[in-house]
C-alpha cells in the first residue's frame, strides 16, 4: 500500500492510497480521512460510494465532509467507482465501463475479469482498512446516485455488517431505469431475474434487519423522473414496513452543491448509530 496524498484538513489528515487489488485484478486508489481523534483512539468508519464518472477525488474535494467527520469522530473511507488500468475493459460511454462499476460482481465477459466492485467494497477494502488504520468494528455506508444504489444494495444484502445507511439521489430501482438496464445487461446478462440481486427496490422486502435509512433527493434533479424514481423504493419500503426517511429537497439538483448542503446531516445520522 502506497500513500499518494497526505494533506492536513480540519485538524486531521486527508490521505489517498494506492494498492494492488486481488479482487479486481488491478491497482486501485482509495481515500481515507482521519479526524483528529484518530491520533488517540480507534474510531468507526463511514464508507462513501461515489457516482457515475467519479473517482475517490470527487467526494473528498467537493463535499466538505471532513469538518463533520472531525466533529463527530468518524473516519471516512472513499473507494474509486470502478477498476482502472489499461488492461481493464471499457466502453465508449460514461455510464458503462471505467467510472461505472455499479458496485456489483459482473458475470459476463469481458467485464467479469475485473468488475467485482461488490466484493471489493464489502470484503477486500474493509479488510485492508481494518489492518492498517485505527478503526473499530462499527461501519456505516452512504453514497450518491450510482453510489447510492451501491450503498443501499450492500447494506440490504449484508445484515449485521453496517450500523446505518443513507444515500443522495440513489438509483433505487436499476432494473427499471435506463442506466441500470444498460449496465445490468452488459455486466450480468439478459436474465432479468439475476438483476434483482442488485436492485434495492427488490431487496428491501426481504431485508433481515431494519437499519436507519435516510435518503435525500432534489426535486430539481434532471434525472429524477427517468433514472432515479425514488417513489419505487418508497412503495417497496411501505409494503415491507421498512423505516425509510425520504426527503424531497426543494430546488436542489444532482450535483455536489446538493451533497455539500446536506452531508453534515447525513454524517450526524450515521454518527448516532456508529457511536451507540
Amino acid at each position: 500500500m502506497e500513500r499518494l496524498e497526505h494533506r492536513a484538513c480540519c485538524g486531521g489528515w486527508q490521505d489517498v492510497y494506492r494498492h494492488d487489488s486481488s479482487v479486481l485484478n488491478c491497482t486501485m486508489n482509495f481515500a481515507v480521512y482521519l479526524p483528529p481523534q484518530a491520533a488517540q483512539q480507534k474510531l468507526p468508519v463511514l464508507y462513501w460510494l461515489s457516482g457515475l464518472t467519479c473517482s475517490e477525488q470527487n467526494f473528498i474535494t467537493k463535499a466538505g465532509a471532513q469538518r463533520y467527520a472531525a466533529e463527530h469522530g468518524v473516519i471516512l473511507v472513499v473507494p474509486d467507482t470502478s477498476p482502472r488500468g489499461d488492461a481493464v475493459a471499457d466502453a465508449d460511454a460514461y455510464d458503462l465501463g471505467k467510472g461505472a462499476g455499479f458496485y456489483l460482481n459482473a458475470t459476463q465477459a469481458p467485464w467479469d475479469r475485473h468488475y467485482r466492485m461488490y466484493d471489493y467494497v464489502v470484503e477486500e477494502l474493509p479488510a485492508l482498512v481494518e489492518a492498517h488504520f485505527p478503526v473499530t468494528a462499527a461501519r456505516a455506508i452512504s453514497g450518491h446516485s450510482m453510489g447510492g444504489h451501491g450503498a443501499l444494495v450492500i447494506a440490504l444484502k449484508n445484515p449485521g455488517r453496517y450500523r446505518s445507511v443513507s444515500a443522495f439521489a440513489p438509483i433505487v430501482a436499476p432494473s427499471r431505469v435506463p442506466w441500470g438496464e444498460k449496465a445490468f445487461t452488459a455486466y450480468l446478462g439478459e436474465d432479468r431475474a439475476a438483476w434483482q440481486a442488485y436492485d434495492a427496490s427488490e431487496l428491501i422486502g426481504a431485508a433481515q434487519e431494519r437499519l436507519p435509512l435516510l435518503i435525500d433527493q432534489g426535486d430539481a434533479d434532471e434525472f429524477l423522473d427517468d433514472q432515479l424514481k425514488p417513489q419505487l423504493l418508497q412503495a417497496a419500503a411501505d409494503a415491507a414496513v421498512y423505516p425509510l426517511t425520504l426527503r424531497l429537497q426543494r430546488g436542489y439538483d444532482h450535483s455536489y452543491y446538493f451533497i455539500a448542503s446536506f452531508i453534515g446531516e447525513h454524517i450526524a445520522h450515521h454518527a448516532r448509530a456508529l457511536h451507540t
Side-chain angles (χ1 to χ4, degrees):
M1 192 168 69
E2 175 189 5
R3 190 167 67 188
L4 304 178
E5 298 182 25
H6 183 59
R7 304 179 190 277
C9 184
C10 298
W13 295 98
Q14 179 61 69
D15 295 339
V16 176
Y17 289 86
R18 175 179 295 158
H19 75 109
D20 291 328
S21 168
S22 59
V23 168
L24 302 177
N25 296 307
C26 66
T27 299
M28 290 292 288
N29 290 357
F30 68 95
V32 178
Y33 175 67
L34 297 171
Q37 301 93 321
Q40 288 83 37
Q41 65 187 95
K42 292 184 176 182
L43 298 173
V45 181
L46 171 60
Y47 289 86
W48 172 271
L49 307 183
S50 296
L52 288 166
T53 75
C54 292
S55 71
E56 80 286 344
Q57 291 292 323
N58 298 74
F59 182 73
I60 65 174
T61 60
K62 295 181 179 180
Q66 293 90 342
R67 62 176 291 193
Y68 303 108
E71 176 185 344
H72 292 285
V74 173
I75 291 173
L76 303 175
V77 174
V78 187
D80 201 345
T81 53
S82 77
R84 302 282 183 174
D86 293 341
V88 173
D90 200 8
D92 187 20
Y94 78 94
D95 52 358
L96 188 67
K98 294 177 188 178
F102 268 84
Y103 303 101
L104 49 74
N105 290 336
T107 60
Q108 305 298 303
W111 313 102
D112 54 343
R113 184 167 183 267
H114 296 284
Y115 284 75
R116 302 185 62 83
M117 287 298 295
Y118 177 87
D119 281 353
Y120 179 73
V121 171
V122 174
E123 300 291 346
E124 187 178 31
L125 182 59
L128 189 67
V129 168
E130 289 161 16
H132 292 279
F133 299 96
V135 303
T136 69
R139 310 178 195 94
I141 192 164
S142 185
H144 171 231
S145 193
M146 178 187 72
H149 142 75
L152 296 176
V153 166
I154 286 170
L156 290 168
K157 287 171 68 71
N158 292 276
R161 191 163 183 82
Y162 303 94
R163 298 276 185 90
S164 56
V165 58
S166 76
F168 289 82
I171 306 170
V172 301
S175 297
R176 290 181 274 176
V177 299
W179 275 340
E181 290 175 328
K182 179 177 181 178
F184 284 7
T185 299
Y187 297 143
L188 302 174
E190 299 283 351
D191 182 6
R192 286 178 171 261
W195 300 2
Q196 295 182 11
Y198 298 103
D199 188 316
S201 65
E202 299 289 342
L203 293 168
I204 201 167
Q208 297 179 29
E209 65 180 347
R210 295 294 189 263
L211 293 178
L213 173 52
L214 170 64
I215 292 178
D216 274 314
Q217 171 64 63
D219 73 353
D221 190 319
E222 61 270 39
F223 304 113
L224 177 59
D225 293 332
D226 60 342
Q227 302 281 15
L228 304 177
K229 300 187 177 182
Q231 68 275 11
L232 297 179
L233 185 66
Q234 183 69 74
D238 290 345
V241 196
Y242 194 101
L244 165 63
T245 300
L246 173 60
R247 308 190 305 190
L248 197 62
Q249 302 290 2
R250 185 176 180 181
Y252 286 90
D253 61 15
H254 202 68
S255 72
Y256 264 84
Y257 296 110
F258 169 46
I259 295 169
S261 298
F262 299 100
I263 191 64
E265 295 177 33
H266 280 243
I267 291 178
H269 161 82
H270 292 292
R272 286 190 291 271
L274 288 168
H275 289 298
T276 299

